[in-house]
Amino acid sequence: AGSRLQHEYVPSAHLSAACTCLAWAPAGARQPPSKDGPQRKKRKSEVGEVDKQLDILAIGTAVGSILLYSTVKGELQSKLDGGHDSRVNCVRWHQDSCCLYSCSDDKHIVEWNTQTCKVKCKWKGDNSSITCLCISPDGKMLLSAGRTIKLWDLETKEVYRHFTGHATSVSSLMFTTVKPMNESKPFDGITGLYFLSGAIHDRLLSVWYIRSDRKEKNAVMSFTVTDEPTFVDLTVSEVKEEPVKLAVVCRDGQLHLFEHILNGYCKKPLTANCTIQIATPGNDGDSTPKPVPILAAAFCTDKQSLLLVYGNTLQPIIEKVSLNTSESHICLVRDIQKVLSLKTDAALTKVRSTPVVNSDTKVLVPGIPGHSTAVKTPASGKEKKKNKRKPGETEESIEERLGALDIDVSKVKTPGGLPQTDSFAVLLVQGLESNDAEILNKVLNTRKENIVKNTVARMPIHAVIPLLHELTKRLQGNPYSASVMVRWLKSVFTLHASYLSTLPDLIPQLGMLYQLMESRVKTLQKLSRLHGRLFILVTQVAASQTVQDVPEVNQTAKLVYEDDSSSSEGSDDEMIADKDSDENWDEDEEKEEQSDEQDMTVEKEINGDSDLEPENESEEE
């Protein structure tokens, strides 16, 4: 309640085996020797909250061992070894308390007996690493998830149901109902229940329904949030008409509250009933309010108020807030600086401001092992520094300092040289954030396919939408730049399609781009038709020229014979010949026109175009 640190435990191997996950044992999970401890606690706490009675904490580590720590005794009770050979991702206690389940990157699920500290059972749970577990309300089933979600029967250790799951690894799994909605059939402990799952880099939380048959594997509904969910808490629905309340804390520091009665399929993702943010007042010195990240949130036992954890992870502030969900967006103003500054000032008074340095001491420069620098005696101000420097000694240049740090200066300077793909990604993000046309031109005008691909692959996800907006803007420019931008578009869509599909407002975001493409592509058919006609015309002109060119080869007669008597007959003959040739030409033209029309119809059929009915055209468009 006072946001004070009550207990701190650092495992002896905390550097080599970092803690990866933890879980409180159920309130009854106590080994016989520690019976007197909890009773003393109970007398102190008249509130009777569950947290006060909790004692044993299971801590999973990065090397595969699990530590059982007693908070009442303040010591390590036992260590569970030999189950996993890589990082433990999740630990869950069974309701009967002496049984613990854990999953790991080694693809196995282990059932532990915590009293004997031995592995009770171990089985392969997936083809990839398993990241999350959840035990059913009656304790007979177990949910496990890597990317796909499986429901296991704990007696037989066989898969009871499969669910599609998420594209990325699942980070949270929890049951949302205790009893099925339709109470007509007898309840077998699992059929008819709903459970919730969330995954990393996924902005949709999915709700799944356990059916009596195996047919349906997809989610029945989903909740959409603004960023990847980092902390999820919910109130379990125990009565038929009671809505499930859901509190989701996102990576961006916002808290989303949902309230929904789970009753079957819902096609559209549900948006938050209420979003809570915390900001500083922004009055003294700094006039702009700054956001304060919310780290976690949990419902109190009355289901009406929330415990919020916000601020710095080292010194979080915990506060109880009563819910008023009539407003869709609440911003709480908290002066976090005052609370923290009081604590830090009090703590710092005992520390000496300057360390005592012996003249023989060798000081190591951070970064490169084995490097040492001359010891400079501590100086508080600039005047002292000036006095300390010997007469005639000049200050070291930055180049010399870099040399001392063994950084190759020639590598740092790359004037005019093309930056590499990783620096391209950095440049691109900088250009998008600062809207710097020069940087953007330099990056976006690259024509090399592999550079474009690598840059798009290495850029952070939050820069995808700004990049799409920038490309849309540039596509409206001249056709030359559009042809370059299309390469970028192609790689953005191929590499980040899964992220884009999770955005709830994708259609308005990409509407402009879609219209641009439509308008560009719309003229393609007409242009290709025009191209076809022009091609036929040009070939005809060329053909007619070649036909005309043939008689011009020898126009001068080699021998002329004139006969006076038959000159009149000859002229008649010539006339007839002329007529014939004219008729021939007409026939040729008619034939060509016919073939022309045939070509046109064929081309229309190829283009999937026909001038028969306007409805067909619109359908085809």
Side-chain angles (χ1 to χ4, degrees), residues 51-324:
D51 302 26
K52 294 280 190 283
Q53 299 156 11
L54 294 175
D55 172 20
I56 292 163
L57 193 58
I59 305 168
T61 62
V63 291
S65 58
I66 297 167
L67 311 174
L68 297 183
Y69 177 75
S70 166
T71 50
V72 175
K73 290 181 184 173
E75 62 184 42
L76 189 64
Q77 193 160 295
S78 47
K79 188 176 178 184
L80 309 178
D81 265 329
H84 296 293
D85 44 23
S86 71
R87 173 195 162 102
V88 179
N89 289 323
C90 186
V91 282
R92 286 280 176 269
W93 289 87
H94 196 273
Q95 282 89 319
D96 71 359
S97 78
C98 68
C99 192
L100 178 74
Y101 292 91
S102 62
C103 65
S104 162
D105 281 353
D106 63 8
K107 309 172 189 175
H108 284 76
I109 302 170
V110 174
E111 182 179 355
W112 300 89
N113 183 339
T114 53
Q115 277 170 334
T116 59
C117 299
K118 295 275 194 302
V119 176
K120 215 172 175 184
C121 180
K122 178 177 178 177
W123 73 96
K124 189 175 179 183
D126 211 325
N127 291 329
S128 59
S129 64
I130 306 170
T131 52
C132 212
L133 295 175
C134 181
I135 293 166
S136 67
D138 65 349
K140 289 178 184 170
M141 296 275 181
L142 175 78
L143 281 172
S144 78
R147 290 188 178 144
T148 56
I149 302 171
K150 293 177 181 177
L151 181 65
W152 300 87
D153 186 334
L154 284 178
E155 275 180 31
T156 58
K157 307 289 187 289
E158 286 174 0
V159 179
Y160 181 69
R161 293 281 180 273
H162 272 279
F163 299 95
T164 319
H166 296 258
T168 51
S169 47
V170 174
S171 58
S172 52
L173 271 178
M174 44 186 73
F175 276 89
T176 55
T177 49
V178 182
K179 291 184 192 135
M181 289 299 163
N182 54 342
E183 287 151 7
S184 53
K185 296 173 188 170
F187 179 44
D188 61 358
I190 195 76
T191 308
L193 297 188
Y194 290 89
F195 67 92
L196 176 96
S197 69
I200 58 169
H201 310 312
D202 192 344
R203 306 189 337 179
L204 287 177
L205 288 149
S206 304
V207 176
W208 313 81
Y209 180 58
I210 300 165
R211 299 168 191 277
S212 50
D213 57 355
R214 288 170 177 264
K215 284 176 193 169
E216 189 60 52
K217 291 183 181 179
N218 293 336
V220 287
M221 65 183 79
S222 56
F223 300 105
T224 170
V225 289
T226 51
D227 203 344
E228 175 190 329
T230 54
F231 194 96
V232 183
D233 189 47
L234 51 82
T235 65
V236 176
S237 165
E238 292 167 357
V239 196
K240 189 177 177 184
E241 289 303 313
E242 185 185 4
V244 170
K245 286 184 182 175
L246 185 64
V248 184
V249 178
C250 294
R251 178 152 292 195
D252 57 7
Q254 295 187 38
L255 166 65
H256 300 279
L257 298 173
F258 299 86
E259 195 170 326
H260 190 73
I261 297 173
L262 302 177
N263 49 3
Y265 186 72
C266 179
K267 195 175 181 184
K268 275 180 81 175
L270 303 162
T271 51
N273 298 28
C274 177
T275 300
I276 298 177
Q277 283 173 296
I278 300 179
T280 56
N283 39 25
D284 40 73
D286 197 8
S287 57
T288 52
K290 288 191 174 65
V292 177
I294 299 175
L295 306 172
F299 286 99
C300 299
T301 42
D302 63 348
K303 298 189 181 185
Q304 293 304 316
S305 48
L306 267 177
L307 275 178
L308 290 186
V309 183
Y310 58 90
N312 185 337
T313 42
L314 295 172
Q315 281 190 315
I317 298 166
I318 302 170
E319 184 185 335
K320 196 170 182 177
V321 180
S322 58
L323 295 182
N324 173 25

Side-chain angles (χ1 to χ4, degrees), residues 344-355:
T344 48
D345 287 351
L348 280 177
T349 48
K350 298 169 191 169
V351 183
R352 287 191 62 164
S353 57
T354 52

